[in-house]
Amino acid sequence: MTAGILFGILFLMLFVGVPIAICLGIATAVTMIVSGNLHYLAAIPTRMFTQLDSSTLMAVPFFILAGNIMAEGGISARLIGFLELLLKRLPGRLACISVVGSGFFGAISGSNPATVAAIGGITAPRMIQKGYPPEKAAAIAASSGTLGVVIPPSIPMVTYAVTAGVSVVSMFAGGWIPGIMLIIGLCITNAITCRQYDSVDTTKYPLKEYLTRFKDATLALLMPIIILGGIYAGIFTPTESASVACIYALIVSFFVYKELDLKKLYKILVDSCVSSAVVLFVVSMSQPFAWFMTSENIPTMISTAVMSIFSNRFAMLLAMNLLLLFLGCFLETQSIILLVTPILLPMASYIGLSEIALGLIIIVNTSIGMITPPMAVNLFVATGITKTSIGAVSKKIVLYLVVEFAILLLYTYVPLLLNIPI
């Protein structure tokens, strides 16, 4: 009864367009009142504060800021220039550059929309000039942007680690496998489907051109090496690495590339503060919701019901993936992680799925959700760049949805079929 009231209010408010943070708070408070648990109400502000009182979560605003500085400071543009020369013999070269460039940028920003804006903002106009249909260019930019949160470091990985109580470094280390699989799968897809727009470049460039572009892109290429190398070597924590990323991006953009001024910096700081506040407000409001569910034993009841329906690991993993993909159509990444993690953890334990593997399955699914309408943030950013309609781009994005979900299933089931612990 309590679960029905809680989720009924939540989804009703989501359906009418109430912001997710407000939905979580009101659903929790109203259910407490209706169920006669008035003494629980005092826990709402306490749990909100406790959730945010975490040094790990400080990485979120810093990674958002680092991504915005890179996008405006010329770092991403120089990265694309080098990749364009390096991948010149690939069919569908610009589409593949969008994928690889998004992978590199994702290793710094940890954000999908930032990746689409920074990399797609450069490659999509070039694709259109080359003869790509605008809606195809937008679909490529949007699908490439899904790498933003899969390639570590990643803001959603930090959120999941805090929610599930696992190591952020372990999440970062595990993210490389599905990330590389997605890069390879998307590049193969683009090489096959975009060869008519972008044939192989057979021009023989002098060695000097390679050296010049490599020199221009060196500082951009060093950034993920410094950040991730420092984390894995134990030089600094994931939270400290986000601060290092901001300082590095500022120094390079201000004093080396000289494409950032105080006026741009002010706008970057304002945009980063707004984005960070939205994310952290949702994170804080999720804690009373999750705490109340746990107090009422709701996750255990749901997981027990699901386990009674699906009798084997294969079916249960498929049900998890389909549920997450469905939620991705309506909720953004952070909200899904905070909402489903307490529910899926008991199920993962039951089928022998590690907490890290569960987190990566959730994150890849929610990242794919960024290109599934109606809650398709990547599509909104990409259509803004290419001046196309959501309807037209949605038709072109279907192929990439199928490819990414197939790769997700491959990542999920191959270890299980080979009897490898996951």
Side-chain angles (χ1 to χ4, degrees):
M1 179 63 177
T2 302
I5 296 172
L6 183 67
F7 287 106
I9 296 172
L10 175 66
F11 287 111
L12 177 62
M13 296 184 70
L14 286 171
F15 181 76
V16 299
V18 178
I20 179 64
I22 305 299
C23 292
L24 291 170
I26 292 179
T28 305
V30 172
T31 308
M32 287 176 177
I33 294 169
V34 173
S35 61
N37 293 306
L38 294 176
H39 58 286
Y40 281 169
L41 289 173
I44 293 178
T46 303
R47 294 288 169 177
M48 289 176 64
F49 175 81
T50 303
Q51 179 74 346
L52 291 182
D53 188 23
S54 166
S55 60
T56 304
L57 275 179
M58 289 176 64
V60 173
F62 282 119
F63 275 129
I64 290 174
L65 177 59
N68 288 339
I69 293 172
M70 283 184 56
E72 295 289 336
I75 296 175
S76 55
R78 286 166 174 78
L79 177 63
I80 293 299
F82 175 63
L83 291 176
E84 194 169 7
L85 187 62
L86 198 65
L87 303 178
K88 70 186 183 71
R89 292 194 174 276
L90 277 179
R93 181 174 73 259
L94 282 171
C96 294
I97 288 169
S98 186
V99 174
V100 178
S102 295
F104 268 100
F105 193 86
I108 305 164
S109 72
S111 166
N112 275 359
T115 301
V116 178
I119 303 300
I122 298 170
T123 58
R126 292 190 188 184
M127 283 187 270
I128 294 171
Q129 290 175 359
K130 192 81 173 179
Y132 287 71
E135 58 273 12
K136 179 70 172 179
I140 291 167
S143 60
S144 300
T146 58
L147 295 165
V149 301
V150 179
I151 298 290
S154 161
I155 295 170
M157 286 183 186
V158 175
T159 305
Y160 174 82
V162 172
T163 307
V166 299
S167 165
V168 177
V169 175
S170 297
M171 286 297 301
F172 285 177
W176 285 105
I177 298 174
I180 291 171
M181 290 173 68
L182 284 170
I183 289 174
I184 294 171
L186 290 173
C187 280
I188 292 173
T189 303
N190 286 329
I192 295 171
T193 61
C194 299
R195 61 175 62 245
Q196 68 268 38
Y197 310 120
D198 197 0
S199 57
V200 173
D201 183 1
T202 57
T203 306
K204 291 185 177 180
Y205 293 94
L207 179 61
K208 183 180 178 181
E209 181 68 18
Y210 282 93
L211 294 176
T212 300
R213 294 207 193 182
F214 176 73
K215 180 183 176 182
D216 289 341
T218 299
L219 294 176
L221 295 170
L222 279 175
M223 197 169 181
I225 295 173
I226 292 171
I227 295 169
L228 294 168
I231 293 172
Y232 297 141
I235 299 173
F236 38 70
T237 67
T239 302
E240 292 166 346
S241 75
S243 305
V244 171
C246 290
I247 295 170
Y248 183 91
L250 272 174
I251 292 172
V252 171
S253 301
F254 254 117
F255 302 109
V256 182
Y257 297 154
K258 298 180 180 179
E259 293 192 15
L260 201 62
D261 53 32
L262 292 176
K263 185 177 179 180
K264 283 185 178 179
L265 181 60
Y266 175 77
K267 183 179 183 300
I268 288 170
L269 290 172
V270 171
D271 292 343
S272 300
C273 285
V274 172
S275 300
S276 300
V278 170
V279 172
L280 293 176
F281 183 43
V282 175
V283 171
S284 69
M285 195 58 79
S286 70
Q287 177 58 21
F289 184 87
W291 173 80
F292 181 65
M293 281 203 304
T294 304
S295 299
E296 296 296 306
N297 209 31
I298 293 174
T300 303
M301 288 189 293
I302 293 174
S303 59
T304 301
V306 171
M307 287 184 284
S308 65
I309 297 172
F310 300 101
S311 57
N312 61 72
R313 297 176 70 190
F314 290 91
M316 194 171 292
L317 283 168
L318 180 61
M320 282 184 184
N321 282 309
L322 292 175
L323 170 64
L324 291 165
L325 192 65
F326 172 76
L327 291 175
C329 296
F330 304 99
L331 300 174
E332 54 88 30
T333 302
Q334 303 287 341
S335 305
I336 296 172
I337 292 171
L338 297 164
L339 187 64
V340 305
T341 298
I343 297 172
L344 295 185
L345 278 173
M347 296 168 58
S349 177
Y350 175 78
I351 61 177
L353 187 69
S354 72
E355 294 170 334
I356 300 298
L358 172 65
L360 294 172
I361 289 172
I362 292 174
I363 286 163
V364 175
N365 263 297
T366 54
S367 187
I368 295 173
M370 301 288 266
I371 56 173
T372 53
M375 186 66 186
V377 179
N378 284 16
L379 288 189
F380 295 140
V381 177
T383 53
I385 293 168
T386 57
K387 311 301 180 187
T388 50
S389 68
I390 289 289
V393 178
S394 295
K395 295 177 183 177
K396 297 293 183 180
I397 206 71
V398 171
L399 171 64
Y400 297 99
L401 274 173
V402 172
V403 169
E404 292 197 16
F405 192 66
I407 292 170
L408 173 64
L409 293 180
L410 189 67
Y411 168 77
T412 303
Y413 283 115
V414 166
L416 188 59
L417 291 170
L418 297 177
N419 200 30
I420 299 173
I422 54 176

